[in-house]
Each structure stands twice: as structure tokens, then as C-alpha cells.
Amino acid sequence: MSTARHGSVLSLQELALTFITCLWGGTFLVLHIAMQHCGPLFFVGIRFLLAAVMVALLAGKSMLCLQRREVWAGVFIGIALALGYALQCMGLESITSSRAAFLTALYVPLVPLFQWVLLRKKPHLMNFIGIGCAFVGLVVIAGPAALQLSLSHGDAMTVFAALAIALEIVFISLFAQGVDSRRVTVMQLAAGGCVSVLLMPVVGEAVPTFSWVWLVCAFGLALLSALVQLIMNWAQKSVSPAKATVIYAGEPVWGGLVGWLAGDVLGVNTLLGAALIVAGVIISELKPRRGGKVPMTSSSA
């Protein structure tokens, strides 16, 4: 049930998603710093396991009422979550935080495609135009290598991360109804953390030497992960994936700004490609209406 008040532009849930998007935009720089001191799977695993403990303590005795549906929902969301953030960290080992922020934004126009496959909700024309625009932006950012289908390792990992994040958003909407947000959040964070740690020996990633840098980054992002996942699971019970993705579209802008303030050089190709990706994000959430007027599907957002 929506908690929007009459005359207000944003509902409480939409305001909450906007708030976490602003915070999340700045995490690309933190991740970039952490990747200089440890491996991606280790960092994601520690971060999510810490976050799972934090949310479990918050949930308290309600964890005793954990249901099988909540376990499976958490596992599916958690696997997508782990893949998304592990691949994102892998990309940040070799590309700048601002570049990663803009490439990660590709997940927004991809959400309608996953909705089509998993939720049987066919995308409208503007979705397809937005996806095309975002793809052109990717080509511009990547440069001539994209035309040869040979993206750099960092760019490719970040694009795959965007695919996983899009899947996570659709999974949340698919499983969020009729479950307890706190218990599902604990399960998805725990599942994501365990998957990341278990994959370490598979890919040959070693446990890093102790560093206060990765520990502080992991603890800080664990707190943020707990907050973000709780809010997403709660808010997306009443905010559709389409509206949620419009709100999340602000993430690369914040990420790019923080990276620029930290010293990232934003070349002409990066700025033009970023503009096309953000335009694709916005266009994909426009829905034609009879009479020629084209409103935002999230006009109440």
C-alpha cells in the first residue's frame, strides 16, 4: 500500500529509494580504493557477511520465524547480488570509478528485458529505444574496441555486472511480495557472501594480507549494504521495477561526480557516452500516451 500523501510528488518509499541512490553513487570510489588492497570476491564476501550479521541483529527474534519461501527468495537474489558486485569489483581493478559508474548504469534499460522474460511484461517501444541509446553510449565510452567486440577486461566485467544487477532488481520484485523484508535481506546478504567466498578457490583468489584499508571499506559498505537492501526490499513492495529504475538512474551521475572530485579524468568520449547512457535510462522509462503526449512512467516518482 502506498504511503504517498495527497499533493506530494514522491511517496515515502520513493523518497527512501532516492536517498539510497545518492549514497550508493559514492561507493564506486570506495570500491576502487579497496581493490588496491584485496581481491574482489574476498571483499564482496566479507562485506555481505558482515551486513547479514548486522541485519540479523536488527531483525532479532523474527529470524526464528524464517520461512522456506524467504530462504529461497534470499538465495536467488543473493546469487545475483554476489555476481553483480563481484564483477563490478573486478572491473574496478583496471578502470576508474566514474567510468564504472556510467557503465553500470546499463542495468537500468536492461530491466525491462528481464521483466519480459521472467515476469511476462512486454517492453514498450520507448524501452527498446532507450536500450539502443544506452548501447550506443557503451560503444562511445569503450571506443573503437567496442566495434571489434573486444572491450577491455574492466569494461567487460562492468557490463556483465550490470546484467547481474538488472536480474537482482527483477528478482526482488518477483519475490518481495508476502515475505518479511528483514528476513529476506539477511538471507540474500548471507547467500551473496557465501557464494563469493566459495568462489575464491575456484578462480584462484587468495586471502589478502590484513589491511585497515580493506577492513574499514568493508565495514562501511556492509553498513550501507544492510541499509540499501532493507530499503529496496521494503520499498519495492509498492514501487514497480520501472519506477525504481528511474530513481536508480541518478546513481551514475553521483558516481561520476564523486570520481571527478577525486581526480578522475573524464574525456570527451566518456562524457558523451555517459550522456547517451543516462539518456537511454530516461528514454526507456517514457511511455507513449494516446494524443501524442509522452509522460514519464514514474510521473509520481
Side-chain angles (χ1 to χ4, degrees):
M1 182 177 66
S2 174
T3 57
R5 297 179 181 178
H6 294 294
S8 64
V9 176
L10 297 175
S11 69
L12 179 60
Q13 290 89 342
E14 290 161 350
L15 282 171
L17 292 179
T18 302
F19 173 68
I20 64 171
T21 299
C22 293
L23 292 178
W24 209 244
T27 63
F28 289 94
L29 180 60
V30 178
L31 287 171
H32 185 69
I33 293 171
M35 288 305 96
Q36 312 308 311
H37 299 270
C38 67
L41 290 173
F42 173 82
F43 185 80
V44 170
I46 294 299
R47 167 188 172 184
F48 286 156
L49 290 174
L50 284 172
V53 172
M54 293 174 186
V55 180
L57 291 174
L58 180 64
K61 293 182 179 180
S62 71
M63 291 302 300
L64 299 176
C65 301
L66 185 66
Q67 301 174 7
R68 181 178 299 179
R69 173 181 170 83
E70 293 166 340
V71 173
W72 283 110
V75 168
F76 278 106
I77 298 170
I79 290 174
L81 180 72
L83 288 175
Y85 287 100
L87 290 167
Q88 188 181 81
C89 288
M90 291 177 186
L92 281 164
E93 291 181 308
S94 57
I95 64 175
T96 64
S97 61
S98 55
R99 187 181 182 91
F102 291 128
L103 288 175
T104 303
L106 287 168
Y107 77 83
V108 179
L110 289 173
V111 167
L113 294 181
F114 283 116
Q115 284 185 266
W116 191 7
V117 174
L118 298 176
L119 304 182
R120 298 294 188 267
K121 294 182 180 179
K122 186 177 181 179
H124 50 75
L125 176 62
M126 302 309 289
N127 289 142
F128 288 112
I129 294 175
I131 291 168
C133 187
F135 178 77
V136 172
L138 168 63
V139 172
V140 172
I141 285 181
L147 299 178
Q148 302 169 9
L149 298 179
S150 58
L151 294 173
S152 72
H153 176 75
D155 288 342
M157 291 299 99
T158 308
V159 171
F160 285 129
L163 289 168
I165 293 170
L167 191 60
E168 178 207 351
I169 291 174
V170 176
F171 276 169
I172 289 175
S173 293
L174 182 63
F175 295 116
Q177 303 301 325
V179 296
D180 182 89
S181 298
R182 294 171 299 175
R183 294 196 293 266
V184 170
T185 300
V186 171
M187 292 308 304
Q188 72 188 59
L189 289 170
C194 290
V195 168
S196 297
V197 172
L198 291 173
L199 284 176
M200 287 178 62
V202 176
V203 302
E205 182 180 318
V207 177
T209 57
F210 176 79
S211 168
W212 283 107
V213 176
W214 65 251
L215 179 61
V216 171
C217 289
F219 189 81
L221 290 186
L223 282 171
L224 188 55
S225 294
L227 175 66
V228 167
Q229 296 303 321
L230 274 171
I231 291 177
M232 286 178 68
N233 289 340
W234 165 72
Q236 283 192 229
K237 288 183 178 181
S238 58
V239 179
S240 69
K243 287 187 177 182
T245 50
V246 171
I247 295 172
Y248 300 150
E251 181 182 339
V253 178
W254 288 102
L257 176 62
V258 171
W260 177 72
L261 291 173
D264 286 354
V265 178
L266 302 178
V268 175
N269 279 9
T270 299
L271 290 174
L272 178 58
L276 286 168
I277 288 175
V278 174
V281 165
I282 296 172
I283 290 171
S284 70
E285 296 308 326
L286 293 173
K287 183 178 294 184
R289 180 191 297 173
R290 292 179 181 176
K293 189 176 179 180
V294 182
M296 291 290 290
T297 59
S298 61
S299 58
S300 63

